[in-house]
Structures are given as C-alpha cells and as structure tokens.
Amino acid sequence: MKKDADYFIKHLALEQHPEGGYYKSSFTADETIDAFGTTRKLYTNIYFLLKSGDVSHFHRLKSDEVWYYHGGSSLTIHIIDEEGNYREVKLGLNLDAGEQPQAIVRKNSIFGSSVMEPGTFSLVGCMVSPGFDFEDFELFTQKELLALYPKYESVIRKLAYKNL
C-alpha cells in the first residue's frame, strides 16, 4: 500500500504550520543555552511535510536549521543568504541528480521550500540550534522582499505572502 501525505499527517499527528505545510515537534534538548538575550533550548527538532502545490513561505530564523530528507518526493529549499545571494538546494536521495539527504540553512537567511513533482509530498526533519522559538521567526511579504531583491521576482512571487 502506497502511503500518501494524509497517512503521514494522521500517523505523525502533524498540524498546520504558519509558514505553510504541516509539522510536529519530535525532539527537544533538555539542555539550555543563553542566546538572543534569553534562554533557549540547545536544539529543537520537528517533522515537516509539504504537499506539492503548497509552499513553505519565505521566512527567517535567528538560528541555523539542518534539514533531513525522510521520504516522498524531493524538496527544493530556496535560500536568500545574508549577502543577498539566491540558491536552491534539492533535498532527496537521487544523488546523481544533485539531490542531497541533508542540508543546512544558515542563520539569518531568508528561505522557503516547495515540492516540484505534482500530486506528491515531501517528508523531512528539521533541527534548529539554538532551539526554535516563534519569537525568532519572521515571515515576509512580496512587497518587502521585492524592495530588497527585485532580481529574484519570480521566486519571491511564488514563495512570499502577498499580504500578512
């Protein structure tokens, strides 16, 4: 029996994420660290599922985030780094096609993700260190990003919210 997105959403008890897709916290460090003028967990982990046709909207974190491929179709992570350079990372297991099973998005990068293959989904894991807190989470509108990065208009229109 082929497992679809709804199977994983149900069995992993995933909830809708504000940036798009579905998620659930899976592991959190017991240890804490002083970061950003407050105390954060040393690391946090989530499952994240994105269906094709949906996107994870452009957002930014104050921490590094490591992505791990678990299953389904490959996932494209779209990244605008702190220097304003755009790149795509293909998360998956087809190494011959340039995919990689894990990737890192450096802190303060603006990033989002998408699944290219129609009618599919991608299930990944994400580890954030210092640990994720919604206080450190920033979403962007098309207007905000187009003012900063007009040369990336097509991907910004695809992955940034029109309005928040």
Side-chain angles (χ1 to χ4, degrees):
M1 177 174 129
K2 185 176 179 183
K3 311 260 187 307
D4 62 7
D6 292 333
Y7 172 87
F8 290 101
I9 292 168
K10 177 183 175 185
H11 286 83
L12 294 174
L14 304 179
E15 300 174 18
Q16 288 192 308
H17 197 292
E19 79 194 38
Y22 300 84
Y23 81 108
K24 180 181 180 182
S25 177
S26 54
F27 300 105
T28 300
D30 293 329
E31 300 86 1
T32 59
I33 187 172
D34 290 332
F36 320 122
T38 189
T39 301
R40 293 279 189 267
K41 293 292 187 174
L42 183 60
Y43 64 85
T44 55
N45 288 279
I46 64 167
Y47 290 116
F48 182 70
L49 183 142
L50 193 63
K51 295 179 180 181
S52 57
D54 295 333
V55 298
S56 166
H57 291 89
F58 271 132
H59 60 287
R60 177 169 45 205
L61 301 178
K62 293 180 181 178
S63 301
D64 289 340
E65 183 169 26
V66 182
W67 292 59
Y68 304 93
Y69 175 80
H70 291 312
S73 295
S74 62
L75 180 84
T76 303
I77 307 169
H78 305 267
I79 303 166
I80 303 172
D81 66 24
E82 281 191 279
E83 290 76 40
N85 301 306
Y86 172 79
R87 68 184 174 98
E88 293 181 358
V89 176
K90 305 286 187 195
L91 203 62
L93 296 178
N94 187 348
L95 305 181
D96 293 332
E99 296 175 5
Q100 51 195 66
Q102 62 185 31
I104 188 165
V105 176
R106 295 288 178 191
K107 66 182 178 182
N108 299 318
S109 295
I110 296 167
F111 65 102
S113 59
S114 60
V115 178
M116 301 309 290
E117 191 176 330
T120 64
F121 69 94
S122 183
L123 176 64
V124 301
C126 299
M127 192 232 14
V128 176
S129 181
F132 177 83
D133 188 297
F134 272 105
E135 185 177 305
D136 307 326
F137 177 78
E138 183 180 7
L139 281 170
F140 293 92
T141 64
Q142 291 177 3
K143 182 178 179 180
E144 291 170 316
L145 292 179
L146 288 170
L148 296 170
Y149 310 108
K151 63 184 172 182
Y152 307 133
E153 181 178 1
S154 64
V155 73
I156 288 170
R157 292 206 183 276
K158 177 180 175 181
L159 294 179
Y161 281 106
K162 287 184 181 180
N163 299 301
L164 289 175

